[in-house]
Amino acid sequence: MNTSPQPDALTKVHGLRIPAALRGAKRPATVERILAAAERMFAEGGMAGARTDEIARAARVNKALLYYYFSSKENLHLAVLDALFQQLVVAVEAAFSGDSLPRQRLLAYVDAYFDFILRHPNYPRLVQRELMEGGKNLVWIARQYMRPIQVKLSRILEAGVARGEFRPVDSTQTVMTINAMIVSYFAVAPVLSQVLGRDALAKEAVAARRRAILDFLEHGLLRQPARSRAARKP
Amino acid sequence: MNTSPQPDALTKVHGLRIPAALRGAKRPATVERILAAAERMFAEGGMAGARTDEIARAARVNKALLYYYFSSKENLHLAVLDALFQQLVVAVEAAFSGDSLPRQRLLAYVDAYFDFILRHPNYPRLVQRELMEGGKNLVWIARQYMRPIQVKLSRILEAGVARGEFRPVDSTQTVMTINAMIVSYFAVAPVLSQVLGRDALAKEAVAARRRAILDFLEHGLLRQPARSRAARKP
DNA sequence: TTATTTAGACTAACCAGTTAGTTAAAATGG
DNA sequence: CCATTTTAACTAACTGGTTAGTCTAAATAA
C-alpha cells in the first residue's frame, strides 16, 4: 500500500531525499509558491537564465528554503517539469479514453491540449526550451511522459488510416506536425502579443488558432472533411 | 552611392561604433570565425547560457578581440542574428520572385526555407530562443526581416485563395502553421536524434519531413491536390 | 603609420549554494 | 496541567566560484 496519492516517480528514480512535505498530497503553501514562481522564471529565462534569488523573491521566501525543499536549482527545474507533465498526462489521458472514432479522439486530443495550455501558460516555453537543450532531464521526461502520449496518438492516427477515415499519412510526422502547430503558437504568444499589439492569448485569438488548426487537420488529414468546416465555393 | 554591399542597417539603427572591417564586404577571417563560433554557442545555450570565453576559444582568438569588434556580448548576439536573417531574406526572396502560380511559389518557399536551414543548422534554435525571450533585439528583427517575409507569404496565400487555387484559409494562421512545421522540426533535431537513436538531420530523415510537410500542405490547403502526391486507395 | 591581434592578468559584479542559527508548533513526560 | 525536548519551517548573512568586460604592453601585419 502506498499512502501517498502519487507513486512519486521523481523521488524513486532520482533518489532525492525530499522532505516529508513534498511527498504528501497537501504540500505547504510555500512549496506551491516556490514551484509557481520557479515555473514562471524557468519559462521566461530557461535553466541558465533563471535566477534563484529572483525565484525566491517571487515566491516571497528565503532563498535557502529553495535548497531546503529542492536540493539544487537543477532539481527544482526538474520538479517543475515533472509536476506539469503529470498534469498534462492526466488531462490528455481523458481524451484518449472512451471508444469513440479516431476522428473524435483526435479532435478531443487537440481540445484537451489547448485547454491544458490555457490553464498552464508557462508549459509551452518550458517544453520548447527543454526540447532544444536536451539534458538528462529531457531523456527522463521523454521516456516517462512524452513517449506514451506520442505512441497513443500515433495509434489513433493509424487506426483512422486503417479504417479509411484518414488519408494514409506517416503517423510519426503527423504527430510532430500537430504538436508543433499547437505548442509553437503559445510558445511565442508573449512576443506575438508585443509585435501584433494585441493579446495573443485573448479568447478570440486563441479560438482563431484552434479553429485554424482543426480546419487544417480536417482537410490535411481526413478523407471526408465535416461539412460544417468544409470550404465554400467562391 | 554606397560603397559597401549592404546598407548595414545594424550599424545605422543601433548606432554602434563598429571597426572598418565589419562594414565592408570582405570581413577578416577572424570576424568570420568569431561569428561562426558565437552562432553555435548562442544556439546551444542561448544568450544567458553562452560563455564569452568559450566563444573566443572556439574561434581561436583572444577574448579581447570579441570586444574589439563587437563591443558587448549583447551586440555579438545581435550581429549573429542579423547576419543570419540577411542571408535568409536573400534565400527566400528568390523563391518569391518570378511570376509562377501561387502553388509553385508556396512550394518554392518551403524548399528555399528547408535548404537555408540545412545550410545554417543553428538558425532554428536561435530564432526559437529569440521568439521565446523577446528583447529589443527581437522587435528590431521582427520589423526588419520577419515581417516582410510574413507579408509576402501571406500575399501569395491570399492570391491563391482569390484564384480559387487554395481553400479559403486565414493567411496569417497558415503562415504560422507552415513556419512552425518547418522550424520546430529542426529546432528539436539534436534532441530528436538523441531520443530516436538516429540522426534527425540525415538526408532521408530530412527528406521524409519535407515530404510530410508538402503532403500536408497539398491536402490541407490546395483545392485540387497534385495527383503525384495524392493518397492511394487503401 | 594605422589597424589588427595576442597574452594574460585583473576586477567588479553576480550568483549558486552554505552556514549557523531562529521561530513556532507539536510531541513527550512528569 | 505545565515544563522540556524535538522537529519542521524558515531566515540573514556569508562564501567561493564564475563570468562579462577591461587594461597593459607588446607583436604583427597592411
Side-chain angles (χ1 to χ4, degrees):
Chain A
M1 290 293 167
N2 196 337
T3 55
S4 67
Q6 304 284 356
D8 210 343
L10 218 174
T11 308
K12 276 186 194 159
V13 171
H14 287 74
L16 303 181
R17 207 178 318 280
I18 291 180
L22 266 188
R23 292 196 303 273
K26 40 176 184 291
R27 294 181 291 212
T30 45
V31 171
E32 298 293 350
R33 286 211 311 278
I34 291 171
L35 282 172
E39 184 188 301
R40 202 174 79 243
M41 295 304 174
F42 283 133
E44 282 171 15
M47 177 64 189
R51 301 290 153 227
T52 54
D53 288 272
E54 245 182 307
I55 293 172
R57 191 157 41 76
R60 304 193 313 278
V61 160
N62 189 279
K63 186 170 58 147
L65 202 61
L66 264 52
Y67 292 86
Y68 174 71
Y69 283 121
F70 313 89
S71 47
S72 68
K73 188 186 182 185
E74 180 73 29
N75 271 329
L76 176 55
H77 185 231
L78 181 56
V80 165
L81 291 176
D82 194 74
L84 268 177
F85 272 98
Q86 261 180 40
Q87 295 182 71
L88 174 65
V89 167
V90 170
V92 151
E93 213 62 55
F96 287 151
S97 68
D99 55 353
S100 50
L101 294 176
R103 176 175 178 277
Q104 263 71 42
R105 290 188 173 209
L106 173 63
L107 301 188
Y109 169 78
V110 174
D111 278 338
Y113 209 167
F114 253 80
D115 293 340
F116 172 79
I117 291 175
L118 287 175
R119 268 180 290 126
H120 302 278
N122 293 314
Y123 167 88
R125 284 193 287 176
L126 284 166
V127 210
Q128 284 276 40
R129 285 221 145 88
E130 203 54 23
L131 285 173
M132 291 195 307
E133 317 208 337
K136 18 196 165 358
N137 277 6
L138 180 71
V139 178
W140 152 255
I141 285 167
R143 289 208 212 298
Q144 184 78 4
Y145 298 113
M146 292 171 144
R147 183 50 85 80
I149 292 177
Q150 192 260 332
V151 167
K152 276 177 191 156
L153 189 51
S154 284
R155 294 265 163 73
I156 290 175
L157 290 174
E158 282 153 16
V161 172
R163 310 176 108 255
E165 202 177 346
F166 298 164
R167 292 191 307 111
V169 290
D170 179 325
S171 66
T172 308
Q173 295 287 343
T174 309
V175 168
M176 278 197 281
T177 296
I178 293 171
N179 289 327
M181 285 195 291
I182 300 172
V183 174
S184 65
Y185 174 81
F186 291 100
V188 306
V191 164
L192 206 63
S193 306
Q194 198 188 339
V195 171
L196 297 187
R198 56 194 160 77
D199 185 10
L201 292 180
K203 198 160 263 181
E204 330 83 58
V206 171
R209 182 67 194 158
R210 196 190 304 231
R211 239 181 294 119
I213 290 174
L214 292 176
D215 176 78
F216 217 76
L217 283 178
E218 296 268 8
H219 290 85
L221 193 55
L222 286 176
R223 224 180 249 294
Q224 300 159 316
R227 275 130 317 273
S228 60
R229 295 187 194 279
R232 50 193 151 60
K233 293 276 173 196
Chain B
M1 290 294 166
N2 196 337
T3 56
S4 66
Q6 305 284 356
D8 209 342
L10 218 175
T11 308
K12 276 186 194 158
V13 172
H14 286 74
L16 303 180
R17 206 180 319 280
I18 291 180
L22 267 189
R23 292 195 303 274
K26 42 177 186 293
R27 294 180 290 211
T30 45
V31 172
E32 297 293 351
R33 287 210 310 278
I34 291 171
L35 282 171
E39 183 188 302
R40 202 174 78 243
M41 296 304 174
F42 284 134
E44 282 171 16
M47 176 65 188
R51 301 290 153 230
T52 55
D53 286 274
E54 244 183 308
I55 293 172
R57 191 157 42 75
R60 305 194 313 278
V61 294
N62 189 280
K63 187 169 62 147
L65 203 61
L66 264 52
Y67 292 87
Y68 175 71
Y69 283 119
F70 313 90
S71 46
S72 68
K73 189 186 180 185
E74 181 72 30
N75 271 329
L76 175 55
H77 185 233
L78 181 56
V80 165
L81 290 177
D82 194 74
L84 267 177
F85 272 98
Q86 262 181 40
Q87 295 181 73
L88 173 66
V89 166
V90 170
V92 151
E93 213 61 58
F96 287 151
S97 68
D99 54 353
S100 50
L101 294 177
R103 177 175 178 278
Q104 264 71 42
R105 292 188 172 208
L106 173 63
L107 301 187
Y109 169 79
V110 174
D111 278 339
Y113 209 168
F114 254 79
D115 293 341
F116 172 80
I117 291 175
L118 287 174
R119 269 180 288 125
H120 303 277
N122 293 315
Y123 167 87
R125 282 194 290 174
L126 283 166
V127 211
Q128 284 276 41
R129 285 220 145 89
E130 203 54 24
L131 284 174
M132 290 193 307
E133 318 209 336
K136 18 196 164 2
N137 277 5
L138 180 70
V139 178
W140 152 255
I141 285 167
R143 289 207 212 299
Q144 183 78 5
Y145 298 113
M146 293 171 145
R147 184 49 85 79
I149 293 177
Q150 193 259 331
V151 166
K152 277 175 190 158
L153 189 51
S154 283
R155 294 266 162 73
I156 291 175
L157 291 175
E158 282 153 15
V161 171
R163 309 174 108 255
E165 200 177 348
F166 298 164
R167 290 192 308 109
V169 292
D170 179 325
S171 65
T172 308
Q173 295 286 343
T174 309
V175 167
M176 279 197 281
T177 296
I178 293 171
N179 290 327
M181 284 194 291
I182 300 172
V183 173
S184 66
Y185 175 81
F186 291 100
V188 306
V191 164
L192 206 63
S193 307
Q194 197 189 338
V195 172
L196 296 186
R198 56 192 159 78
D199 184 10
L201 293 180
K203 198 161 266 182
E204 329 82 58
V206 172
R209 182 67 193 159
R210 195 189 305 230
R211 240 181 293 119
I213 290 174
L214 292 176
D215 176 78
F216 218 75
L217 284 178
E218 297 267 9
H219 290 85
L221 193 55
L222 287 174
R223 223 180 249 294
Q224 300 158 317
R227 274 129 319 272
S228 62
R229 294 187 194 280
R232 53 192 149 60
K233 291 278 169 195

